[in-house]
Amino acid sequence: MKNIALIVITMFVLLGCASTPKRPPMNISSFSLFSTFSFGENINKAYYDPLNEIAYAMVSGKQEIYVLKNGKNLNVIGGMGMAANNFQTLADISIASDGGLYALDSSQKNLRKFSADGKLLSTMDLKSTSQAAAFAIGGEQIAYIWDSAASEIISFNLLDGTEQFRFGRFQVQRISHLSANRDFVVAYDQATNISTVFSSMGQLIGIEEGQILYDGYNNAISMTSNGLISKMSPAFLPLSEGYGIVTISRNVLSLVMGTEVRVLRLDYEQVP
């Protein structure tokens, strides 16, 4: 098994010459629980938008996305139907760096962006996909779409909808959750509890046990049976078993456990 932490450091150095302004290195000092949301049914996946202090929770069986603010129901987006705000097969959700909510409809082969009040802002067709089953929003206006029929991750430009490149074939068989930041794309298979890590350009970096996520400073975070672990610092939070998919938005993690979503803040300290 490859040492992901060492590879991340190497990648960070190599990518430092990119056009994006270099950020100061920051370590995760701790994980802090600051909010818990409860629902009347099991949640498949959730995100918390720290910019607008809004939580989004996906219930794929009902084709719905619950929207909460300050613990109160703000809106429900979706439901079965053919209208612009409805879904035929709600496969996945994510939020962009600007707080915009994206939803993937695998039957209609499109990726839609919504405002928090449920207004449809844009629709991107995914006609070149066979079975879009998961996605992630990376840096530089890039969407990574997992096509389960082709067993490939496809990079799309969010600005004009053009396909850029494909990767992951023969390296990934299933994806339960796809995550991305400016430099990394992680394909997590919940059945095997394995994360496959790629660069943002599609090069295979390594494979590791547990769900791996990367924050904006390229700190690797691992969700294991023992709890949350920062792979770049001593930060650790013990957790009981039973958690589902973990998501990240800016400096916030959202952990699904049945009908509950627990929201954790990443606390940082400057690297000496």
Side-chain angles (χ1 to χ4, degrees), residues 111-127:
L111 187 65
R112 281 175 269 174
K113 184 178 183 179
F114 295 92
S115 64
D117 60 3
K119 180 181 179 181
L120 178 63
L121 300 177
S122 64
T123 300
M124 187 176 81
D125 289 328
L126 303 171
K127 300 300 184 184

Side-chain angles (χ1 to χ4, degrees), residues 21-32:
K22 190 174 182 180
R23 292 157 293 180
M26 301 286 281
N27 278 341
I28 297 171
S29 58
S30 63
F31 303 97
S32 302

Side-chain angles (χ1 to χ4, degrees), residues 5-146:
L6 179 60
I7 295 173
V8 169
I9 294 172
T10 304
M11 287 291 297
F12 191 75
V13 172
L14 292 175
L15 292 165
C17 60
S19 58
T20 304
K22 190 174 182 180
R23 292 157 293 180
M26 301 286 281
N27 278 341
I28 297 171
S29 58
S30 63
F31 303 97
S32 302
L33 176 69
F34 74 88
S35 189
T36 299
F37 301 97
S38 297
F39 301 84
E41 52 202 314
N42 287 332
I43 301 301
N44 301 100
K45 184 178 292 186
Y47 279 89
Y48 184 83
D49 170 21
L51 286 177
N52 302 299
E53 299 181 332
I54 293 176
Y56 299 98
M58 181 179 79
V59 181
S60 57
K62 297 179 68 174
Q63 315 294 331
E64 290 180 339
I65 304 167
Y66 296 154
V67 185
L68 284 82
K69 186 177 178 68
N70 298 323
K72 298 180 180 179
N73 292 329
L74 184 64
N75 195 13
V76 177
I77 300 172
M80 181 70 75
M82 297 297 294
N85 285 14
N86 295 139
F87 302 107
Q88 291 185 33
T89 305
L90 177 59
D92 203 0
I93 63 171
S94 186
I95 55 178
S97 58
D98 63 358
L101 170 69
Y102 283 86
L104 174 66
D105 191 321
S106 60
S107 292
Q108 296 197 52
K109 292 188 178 183
N110 62 36
L111 187 65
R112 281 175 269 174
K113 184 178 183 179
F114 295 92
S115 64
D117 60 3
K119 180 181 179 181
L120 178 63
L121 300 177
S122 64
T123 300
M124 187 176 81
D125 289 328
L126 303 171
K127 300 300 184 184
S128 62
T129 64
S130 298
Q131 188 68 43
F135 78 102
I137 305 297
E140 309 299 334
Q141 294 293 318
I142 300 300
Y144 298 95
I145 310 291
W146 165 242

Side-chain angles (χ1 to χ4, degrees), residues 144-216:
Y144 298 95
I145 310 291
W146 165 242
D147 190 331
S148 59
S151 295
E152 291 178 318
I153 300 170
I154 310 171
S155 172
F156 284 92
N157 187 320
L158 280 173
L159 297 177
D160 59 16
T162 57
E163 179 180 325
Q164 298 181 313
F165 55 88
R166 299 184 176 215
F167 61 97
R169 188 172 235 188
F170 308 119
Q171 297 161 331
V172 179
Q173 281 71 50
R174 285 185 308 266
I175 294 180
S176 306
H177 178 62
L178 196 63
S179 63
N181 70 357
R182 182 189 63 174
D183 299 322
F184 299 99
V185 180
V186 183
Y188 173 62
D189 180 2
Q190 194 172 22
T192 60
N193 196 31
I194 292 294
S195 290
T196 305
V197 183
F198 299 89
S199 75
S200 59
M201 298 304 295
Q203 290 88 6
L204 177 65
I205 293 176
I207 298 172
E208 184 141 332
E209 186 175 0
Q211 184 184 354
I212 304 295
L213 299 164
Y214 289 93
D215 67 2

